[in-house]
Amino acid sequence: MSETYAVTVEDVSKSFGSFKALNGVTLRVRQGEIYGLLGPNGAGKTTLIRLICGLLEAHAGTVTVLGQRMPQVAVLRHIGYMTQQAALYPALSVEENVRFFAAINGAEDGVKQALELVQLYERRGSVVATLSGGLRQRCSLACALVHRPELLLLDEPTVGIDPQLRVQFWDSFRRMAAAGTTMIVSSHVMDEADRCQRLGLIQYGRLLAEGSPADIRTQGGSQNLEEAFLALAGRNES
Amino acid sequence: MSGHRIVAITRRLLQGFRRDRRTLALLFVAPIVILGLLGYIMRGSTSAPEVGVANQDSGPLGAIVADGLKSSSHIRATDINAADGDAKLKDGSLVAYIVLPSDFSQQAQAGTVAPEVHLEGSQPGEDAPVIQALQQSMISLASRVSGRSVTFQFQVKYLYGGQNYDTLDYFGAAFVGLVVFFLVFVITIVSFLNERSQGTLERLMASPLRRGEIVVGYMLGFTVLALVQAVEVLVFALAILHIHNQGSVFLIFGMEALMAIAAVNLGIFLSMFARSEFQAVQFIPLVVVPQVLLSGIIFPVSTEPKGLQWLSDVLPLTYAVNGMRDIMVKGADVTWPSLQLDAAVVAGFCILLIAAGTATLRRRLG
């Protein structure tokens, strides 16, 4: 794997009032890898993703994406962002939603491929308001990847969807990574961690550990990732 | 019915308001602002309408009536030449002028006087103090004419409007624009908040879209809807309600379009200060009602207390309403300087709001 980094986060801190959401986080995401941001709810995963796509500005430290220091509007056309909630226009159809996000990214020719990738091409005429949560998540994913971004930020993409669909999602992620897309996927579900090439464990706004799932198991002293995470979290607290 | 469960619902409701201080503030501030304004407009007025008096009477009685008018508290009367009267009504320096004819004293001695009352007539309510002042001075005249009673037959002439105009004709011109302004404002502010609450705005901000592109795109989208609505309102007002119209339908439509664009941008701008649809709805009485009270729709701006007149002069709706009346009641065309000023101010306000909306739409969330 190449040692070129798609994302570099250097000693980044971010506070909201007196609450420190991120505290001196440093991590690097290689080009073309699936990087898992793992941690409990409120750990700082979403804040980190928002910093990476320029929606927030760090109080200290630097975030560099695809060679550009963030926030930088020009980089945004190369980023796809799937928010935690399926942020869609409920009165529009699946295709109209995807077509809109394609248009604002100047990539109308990618609509059919994106719909096929998330297996929604047959349902493209359905109005989003009438779809189940899982189908909405798939539509949301299609909107995030329709312009074939170099970096895809997926904030808890599998929350609220059934195990079968989750498997399909991860198949899609793997195919995209194989095609060269860098992916940062946040999750608080440990069984998803094994599907990532590298992991960053976050708790209380700090990076507890970083490495491949095997590295994390070794660092945590357990064959079970969840136990390894709890062990690392416990060491951090003590 | 369980009293306990009902109390639980009531308590839950009040607890929610306790934490939503903005809504709470609006809930208690809005009625004071609205009622305070209404009270100040209706009771605080110190400015009487400007009225010209052309005393052409060769006898002594015209001077008595003219002096009576000048000392009246209902109007501010000044001497004018009757030939200048219409010009002064047109340029807005007078709301009315009264001509006491050369044989006025003789008429009084004969028992019937017929002074001419020339009213500007484009706004309802401005003629009442003029007639009141004239009636009072006529009563003082009657006491000077000994031996017989005097009948008054005012000859009222309107520069605009007239006796065939009813209340709807005067208010209709303003309301045609107001309906579009109000509804477009409400739809825009709620839609833009939806964009925020459903998370799509966050998505847009993480895309290469520029802030100005979002604001102008929104503006164009809602303007299309608003223009269709403007056509509907106009057709209904003219063809079904038969509201009098002296001007060009295209000019009315143009002014409505400007008002719609102003409303869209006001909605986008103010949505930045609301966090929920609930809070956005609170803006309606606070933003729209004072404008309705102060823009001359109901109470002529010239009869407001001086302090409020300054406020009226900076509100876009004042110019929009004035423009609509200029077109529909006075028959103004594009060569009228007053209509040019009205359109320019509303257009300037649109540009200012586009800039303000763009500036407040922050890419970074915190």
Side-chain angles (χ1 to χ4, degrees), chain A residues 103-223:
Chain A
I104 61 174
N105 285 289
E108 280 96 332
D109 57 337
V111 175
K112 185 166 187 264
Q113 197 185 355
L115 287 170
E116 284 172 345
L117 193 73
V118 298
Q119 295 168 13
L120 271 182
Y121 190 70
E122 301 303 318
R123 300 289 305 269
R124 63 188 184 280
S126 303
V127 175
V128 164
T130 64
L131 297 182
S132 68
L135 289 175
R136 284 183 202 202
Q137 287 289 85
R138 271 152 72 176
C139 182
S140 183
L141 179 61
C143 293
L145 54 79
V146 66
H147 58 296
R148 299 183 199 92
E150 290 175 50
L151 172 66
L152 197 50
L153 302 168
L154 306 165
D155 194 3
E156 310 231 8
T158 56
V159 163
I161 63 172
D162 60 64
Q164 199 182 355
L165 187 59
R166 193 179 294 176
V167 170
Q168 286 173 13
F169 260 41
W170 279 98
D171 283 346
S172 307
F173 297 162
R174 260 196 297 273
R175 281 202 298 276
M176 283 185 278
T181 308
T182 307
M183 262 179 271
I184 299 178
V185 185
S186 79
S187 178
H188 63 271
V189 184
M190 290 299 157
D191 69 1
E192 292 191 336
D194 264 328
R195 301 173 194 268
C196 301
Q197 282 147 336
R198 285 198 314 133
L199 299 171
L201 298 189
I202 298 188
Q203 193 181 35
Y204 303 134
R206 288 178 179 279
L207 189 73
L208 303 184
E210 195 184 26
S212 67
D215 290 340
I216 299 293
R217 286 192 181 88
T218 309
Q219 289 177 46
S222 168
Q223 280 310 300

Side-chain angles (χ1 to χ4, degrees), chain B residues 330-343:
Chain B
K330 299 183 185 176
D333 58 39
V334 284
T335 60
W336 283 42
S338 64
L339 185 59
Q340 289 168 0
L341 173 74
D342 292 333

